[in-house]
Amino acid sequence: KSKYADFKAIEAHRPPFDPSLPIKTTQAPSPGWRYGQQSPQTLSTVSINTPASTPPSTSSTHISIDPSAQPMLANYRLLVSAIPRPISFISTISLDGTKNLAPFSYFQIVDHDPPTFVVGFSARPSRPKDTRRNLVETGECVINLVTENIIHAANATSLDVPYEVSEWELSGLTPAKSETVKPERVQEAVFSIEGKLLEMKELDYHGRGEKGEAVGALAIIEGTRFWIKTEAMGEDGETDLGILRPLVQLGGISYGRVAETFELPRGRLDQELGKDNGLKEILERSTK
């Protein structure tokens, strides 16, 4: 029996969502860290599911897992719970004009010049994702970033409705005209990217396609226009995190929000060598 069988009853006992939660900036985890210094196994080894009376674990052992030796579902559960993922909310249009809107958490930016993004489509025994099909056939989309204000709408569009049905009405969101592509962007989205497909790469490296089995795919998309809410655009050209409020997808049905950040400058070798931080000695030892 699923632990979420009666989710509404479980949720009713939780504190209400606080949309006004301020984003706090703290010190970095180890402000006094020096080059070559050993890092802790973890900053905290107490699981969120561990009773408070249980002492922290100091074990440094690991489990070796061969992904090819366990069921696909086991790999899925492990990976999505271990790797937080930003969520893309993709708008496409089919060749016959049907509008599609769907969320994907296998998503990331991979370059900024030109702006390039990747979206992963898992192998499905049933028909391929409508978004994947539309991208192949039309080569156009809009990627809307999923943020706190539209998460319920994005979640609603994950229903596997028939290809000829548009998810826009399910979402209650407002279509807004794009400038470089036919699919419309989400007006309520804080940040959106119009995009054109550069390549759809099938992830078939083991001959599964030849056996008639479903295979995943990777869409490589070039961003051709950005849209950002005026109040979310900072004077330094960066987005205001307090306005953006991005979410990440975690394991199971869990999501993460940004409530706290810290800053950590990246050093330059020429500047770091002039400091008493042990770097010069490490480099000398490493080149012998």
Side-chain angles (χ1 to χ4, degrees):
K1 183 180 178 180
S2 170
K3 63 179 179 179
Y4 301 116
D6 192 358
F7 178 72
K8 287 294 183 182
I10 295 173
E11 187 179 41
H13 293 284
R14 294 173 174 170
F17 184 90
D18 183 2
S20 64
L21 184 70
I23 297 176
K24 180 172 63 175
T25 302
T26 71
Q27 294 182 354
S30 302
W33 188 90
R34 293 169 59 90
Y35 290 104
Q37 179 179 329
Q38 185 176 8
S39 295
Q41 296 292 334
T42 57
L43 288 176
S44 173
T45 53
V46 178
S47 166
I48 61 172
N49 298 314
T50 301
S53 59
T54 304
S57 169
T58 57
S59 172
S60 60
T61 60
H62 289 76
I63 302 171
S64 174
I65 300 173
D66 179 357
S68 65
Q70 65 178 5
M72 173 275 295
L73 188 57
N75 290 331
Y76 169 78
R77 286 175 173 165
L78 175 62
L79 292 174
V80 300
S81 62
I83 304 174
R85 290 146 290 132
I87 313 163
S88 60
F89 194 22
I90 302 180
S91 167
T92 56
I93 299 179
S94 68
L95 288 176
D96 67 3
T98 301
K99 300 176 182 180
N100 184 271
L101 193 60
F104 295 89
S105 65
Y106 290 173
F107 159 71
Q108 192 53 266
I109 177 174
V110 294
D111 202 355
H112 59 275
D113 187 22
T116 308
F117 307 83
V118 290
V119 178
F121 298 94
S122 300
R124 301 179 84 205
S126 58
R127 75 180 197 274
K129 282 283 191 179
D130 299 341
T131 301
R132 176 177 171 180
R133 173 178 171 180
N134 291 346
L135 268 173
V136 169
E137 294 181 350
T138 71
E140 296 186 341
C141 69
V142 178
I143 300 171
N144 307 277
L145 185 69
V146 172
T147 46
E148 292 178 8
N149 62 314
I150 60 172
I151 181 57
H152 288 283
N155 189 56
T157 65
S158 64
L159 289 176
D160 194 16
V161 299
Y163 180 68
E164 62 276 8
V165 174
S166 172
E167 293 85 354
W168 277 92
E169 287 201 30
L170 291 174
S171 73
L173 295 168
T174 309
K177 186 175 177 57
S178 300
E179 291 184 347
T180 64
V181 297
K182 289 183 181 178
E184 295 160 307
R185 57 190 173 86
V186 173
Q187 176 67 37
E188 291 84 353
V190 181
F191 186 58
S192 301
I193 305 152
E194 295 179 22
K196 296 191 177 182
L197 182 68
L198 297 175
E199 181 180 356
M200 182 69 77
K201 172 66 177 176
E202 286 200 348
L203 304 178
D204 187 9
Y205 301 102
H206 302 285
R208 293 177 179 172
E210 295 179 1
K211 302 175 185 176
E213 299 177 8
V215 296
L218 180 72
I220 304 175
I221 298 166
E222 180 178 355
T224 55
R225 191 72 85 248
F226 303 147
W227 294 86
I228 183 169
K229 284 192 175 293
T230 305
E231 61 269 29
M233 190 67 175
E235 294 182 359
D236 56 2
E238 297 183 357
T239 57
D240 183 333
L241 193 58
I243 301 296
L244 184 65
R245 299 281 180 166
L247 297 175
V248 294
Q249 192 157 9
L250 306 169
I253 60 173
S254 296
Y255 294 83
R257 62 190 301 209
V258 178
E260 191 171 279
T261 68
F262 63 86
E263 297 177 325
L264 192 61
R266 288 184 289 272
R268 286 178 47 184
L269 182 59
D270 58 343
Q271 295 178 351
E272 294 297 294
L273 282 172
K275 301 176 182 177
D276 181 20
N277 53 23
L279 177 59
K280 184 176 180 180
E281 291 78 7
I282 293 174
L283 293 179
E284 290 175 347
R285 288 199 303 269
S286 301
T287 55
K288 290 180 180 178

